[in-house]
Amino acid sequence: MTDAILDDTTLDDLSTLLRLTPDIFAEVAASEESRNAVRRRVVDELRGDPAADEVFTRACCFEAPFGESWIHAPGTTEAYLSLEVASEALDTGRHRALLARVALSTSTALPYDYRAMAAERLLRLGIGDFRRDFAEAAAEHAPLPLRSLRAKAATRTDGIDHLFPIPGTAEERLALLDQACDLKVRESRHLIATRVLQLPEQHAVVGPYLCAEAEQLIAKDADAALIRPSDYLVPWDQELASSDGQALTLAELLRITLLCPEFKLPDARVRPALVSFYRSVLRISGRSIIGLSAGVFHVEHGSAAHPSYFYMGRDAVLGKGCVVDCVGGAVLQQGSFLGGGFMPILVHTHKHIRASGEPGVAERKKVLPCVFAAETGARLPMTAIGLFETADYLESGTTPFPGIRPIALD
């Protein structure tokens, strides 16, 4: 049956073949022999037909309908099979053109780690005639604004949380995510182009929540020379969109994605937009998954919204219903898996502190932040329902779950 499906004429077209998702691909190419045959078919078509470059380049930019393609699975020598196939099938000129287009792509579905890896491989080949394109990308980005203290002072509050406008329709809310994606993609292009050209970096994210150990874990896991661990130090106060004339911050947009019902459903319009939002704005790696009703959020404590780490390596999963409250930080290395099955789990990366005799509201203002670390292959099981208070384990440095641990901030 496998051979019959592989020989189906509907799969002779490269575009159709590259649309196959990993689960369907596993069905039509169940054996290693079959998988190798499909790979050879792609390589042979690229070698024999330069016109195939356009389709394959779109796939390498994760453009629809290729963003979930089997071609982005792990390769033998590369983190992504698509990069490996490009190196094998294309001559130097065509390969250089593909890598440049990926590195400078404005595709919001393109993972940050993939962009950086494409740029690294271009540097090995030589940047050639694309230097001007990289110079333009490095020059075009303006620093994104952070919410000012004056704006915070003017923000309404209900006594617990500050208030902000949420558009009334799903399409309007999706438009907010599109605004944010566009700005952050341009920021990522600027960052990678600056490093390709070895220009000074002028707009580094800084803050009090720094952690050398967390940065070491990120650097090892990302394994890309053009990526810096500080790229995953998230400026929650960054203003990325506007609703009713009021600027919205990244923290507010993340709360919108958790509060509004359409983002909890696998809708064909909504889900790809949400995945693009996570890849563009939080820079989650390719193949990592934030499940339905799962997510990341950051709650301001008074006016404080300090940048903190959020990193998800390839194939890491935030399972259905699992949420990370990222005041302090979270590092999810390759293959780690948190929760799942719509079991409600809140990973709390900071602990509220109240001294004896203080009123309850004082507890909201004083926090002990730390970094939640899930090392490669670690599992926070579904049975960990409820609240996982990371800071409770700071003294011992270990938790009941292997590979799950807290890291103190510097």
Side-chain angles (χ1 to χ4, degrees), residues 29-43:
S31 68
E32 184 176 358
E33 181 181 358
S34 296
R35 290 191 293 273
N36 289 336
V38 177
R39 173 178 170 154
R40 285 195 300 271
R41 182 185 297 182
V42 174
V43 169

Side-chain angles (χ1 to χ4, degrees), residues 386-408:
L387 175 65
F388 184 88
E389 193 74 84
T390 309
D392 280 349
Y393 300 97
L394 273 171
E395 186 173 346
S396 66
T398 62
T399 75
F401 310 110
I404 304 289
R405 63 188 179 94
I407 304 176

Side-chain angles (χ1 to χ4, degrees), residues 373-392:
E375 297 182 352
T376 299
R379 182 73 164 97
L380 182 67
M382 287 184 279
T383 52
I385 298 172
L387 175 65
F388 184 88
E389 193 74 84
T390 309
D392 280 349

